[in-house]
Amino acid sequence: MEAMTGGKFLQKFRLYETRSKFYLIGRDKSRTHWRVLKIDRMECTELGVEEDPTSYTENECQELLWRIHEGNRLTGGLKFVTKCYGIVGFVKFLGPYYMVVITRRRKVGTICGHEIYSIGKSEMIAIPSVIVWPNVAYSRDENRYKRLLCSVDLSKDFFFSYSYNIMRSLQKNITEKNTGQVVYETMFVWNEFLTRAIRNHLKNTSWTVALVHGFFKQSKLSVSGKDFWLTLIARRSRHFAGTRFLKRGVNEKGRVANDVETEQIVFEDTSDGIPSHMASVVQHRGSIPLIWFQETSRLNIRPDIILKPDVDYKATRLHFENLALRYGNPIIILNLIKTREKKPRESLLRAEFAKAIYYINKELTEDKRLKFLHMDLSKLSRRKGTNVLALLNKVASDVLDLTEFLHCEISTSAKSEDASSGERTVAKSRDDKSSSNQSECVAKLVPLLLQKGVLRTNCIDCLDRTNVAQFAYGLAALGRQLHALGLTEAPKIELHAPLADDLMDFYERMGDTLAIQYGGSAAHNKIFCEQRGQWKAATQSQEFLRTLQRYYNNAYTDHDKQDAINVFLGHFQPQQGKPALWKLDSDQHYNIGRQGTLKEEIARSFIKRSLSDGNILLENSLPVSNCDNGRNNTALLPMQQLDDIREPSDSAPDISICEPNTCSSMNYGTVPGRHSMSEERQSYLKRLGYPELHSSNFLDLDLLSSSGNSCDEEVFERSSLINSPMDEISVESSTSYSEQGHVDEGRDDTDLSRSSSQLSDVRDYSDRFANWVANGGMLCY
């Protein structure tokens, strides 16, 4: 990073003031380098900062302060304001500039000798002297903007480091050369906008800290009598950031809501703090990358889902292109939303998501195609005899065979203090007050194994079910990490092992933290509670209370919270003569509505409250292409059944329907059997816009994990919901298809009627999954 002065990072600061200037005195941890920053206080609306190029000793710095005091004695002299630990940034509303500084910090962990801190307390200080304040500085709007910014509690879930690029994964820090201002521009630095002015003026990052928002936890654990450090980091993206119902889906730039990068770092405990090996694995969660949103409502605990067509899935493509740039290939998608519902909600998004992946894959080479897993986690968790965590853990293990993880070796060498910091090195932290000609201990990280690609997990909110799946992936990865470090003999940790309980606590805390940030309440941890054997009644009451808490925050506090986030991130910048932030429409319409035409805006305002509870609207305000047979496509209306739905095209991916009276007279008949599909149903699925089964490699988890005594229940469920517009896609045809998508002529049709208990065998599942991993396509649970 460029926040170095002679190889040292400024960590502690003291702020002084005269009538005309602020003087910020910064020093490194060893008290050998002292720097001075001057801030003009006589400019009422502009920011004037000047860095003294001289590097002082402690005595020289004290002498300088004394001279400043003597020179300003007639106007009150030099006064001490506060001690601080870095500048969060500068912000301007309608009047003067303000400086936000960290006045208290807490050490929360160490990564290879680099301290990681959270903010204990912060303070916002007005820059200009009171004598030059403009009148607008005392206005009601100015004070309201100040309160909005202060409502972003920096003491909760923000963390930073002076010497380690905590906004990037360990692998990126080893393999990439970006430092200084470049790392501030990454998607995980939340004060990029607040620090932009001073960074651009000074051309360095010596005085500011890069804040990451999310979750950080580090603890010492033990396995087989050996101690190691486990670190779990969640980094929230500042792009398209916000609260649950105000930020949904993907925007036109391919940025998704609730985009979180999770990194799990493991290294052995050593006396000097520098281990010989480290291991890291990264996974990703983010909203379903389709253009969809929900209108917040104080009367409806489950607001309507509105899906907006995206021609050629441009936004979805951009999102996955961005993921490929960030993590490489393959990109594996674990989709946990529901398969079918009485009132279609998640199931419509599930179907549209599958179509989007199919069309994107058509233009990608084989090695870059997206691998898509469907798993109805809600349904599986309710099924008797199904261990959801065990199934997820097996999926995670097979995914890790594809992506692998980072394993690096650390070699330590001595390095002169005045030498420039080399690439792929991290300095050992120490508090040395001796002479400046001493050497500095430097650790060089050499990668032995690199992670390629990433697992992307989502449910509808990317909170509760997603967190369970991420724990399962983390547990599978932890076994391999410990084995690579030589701490265990086997690369697997059993679900009931004490270490699994420790890791569950990490992910449960992370899930609660992220859920509060995005959803307004702690996460629903029903599966975790069942795994620990907690009392079911207590778990149900806890889940109910969290549901109410989430509903209240979504309905009553999220708009103010979203406004505060928009001001903090610079998405909204107040200007005199322009409407105030709180006088504008909802944040969701501000972001999505501006992309459409006036006709779309009128249509949206007309239908905003036209839906009954729980229904989904496919917003169809774009021009609709005619079908080949001459019929016109129409919009998907609430509770209408789908009959005349045709194969979608790239130019017109809309879903069309028949007239209501035609749909109501349709007769699907009875379901002939659990493992078979009628011709009507095959035709029905085709009309929904899904590709042919032989080209998609779908596999139904019902055939793999269900218990034998649940067959009757499943038949009843399928027959009762067969008219649902978004029924489940599964391999139930009387003709069997291999994972490569071709007819398997060597098998008899009756193979599909094997008992579900046989098909739920883990080895059989693993083989099927391995075939899917090797050949791509879609795996449908």
Side-chain angles (χ1 to χ4, degrees), residues 46 98 138 156 170 202 221 225 313 409 442 459 582 593:
E46 299 297 328
Y98 302 88
Y138 303 97
K156 290 184 178 179
L170 181 62
L202 300 180
L221 303 175
Y313 301 104
E409 183 181 31
V442 172
C459 51
W582 45 88

Side-chain angles (χ1 to χ4, degrees), residues 295 304 306 603-613 615 617 637-638:
E295 292 281 356
D304 307 316
I306 302 174
R604 183 178 297 108
S605 63
F606 177 75
I607 56 93
K608 184 165 58 175
R609 289 285 181 260
S610 64
L611 302 179
S612 59
D613 293 353
N615 292 339
L617 173 72
L637 301 178

Side-chain angles (χ1 to χ4, degrees), residues 87-100:
I87 298 176
V88 172
F90 295 85
V91 63
K92 179 180 183 295
F93 306 119
L94 302 173
Y97 266 94
Y98 302 88
M99 177 171 61
V100 182

Side-chain angles (χ1 to χ4, degrees), residues 16-18 21 23 65-66 68-69 72 76-80:
Y16 299 86
E17 68 173 352
T18 64
K21 281 185 173 60
Y23 293 89
L65 292 176
W66 174 254
I68 295 174
H69 175 69
N72 291 273
L78 184 70
K79 300 177 182 178
F80 172 74

Side-chain angles (χ1 to χ4, degrees), residues 100-125:
V100 182
V101 296
I102 301 170
T103 56
R104 191 179 301 164
R105 69 181 183 185
R106 297 185 300 267
K107 182 179 175 180
V108 293
T110 303
I111 299 179
C112 202
H114 297 267
E115 288 89 354
I116 313 298
Y117 297 95
S118 66
I119 299 177
K121 188 178 180 181
S122 62
E123 186 175 346
M124 186 166 66
I125 301 170

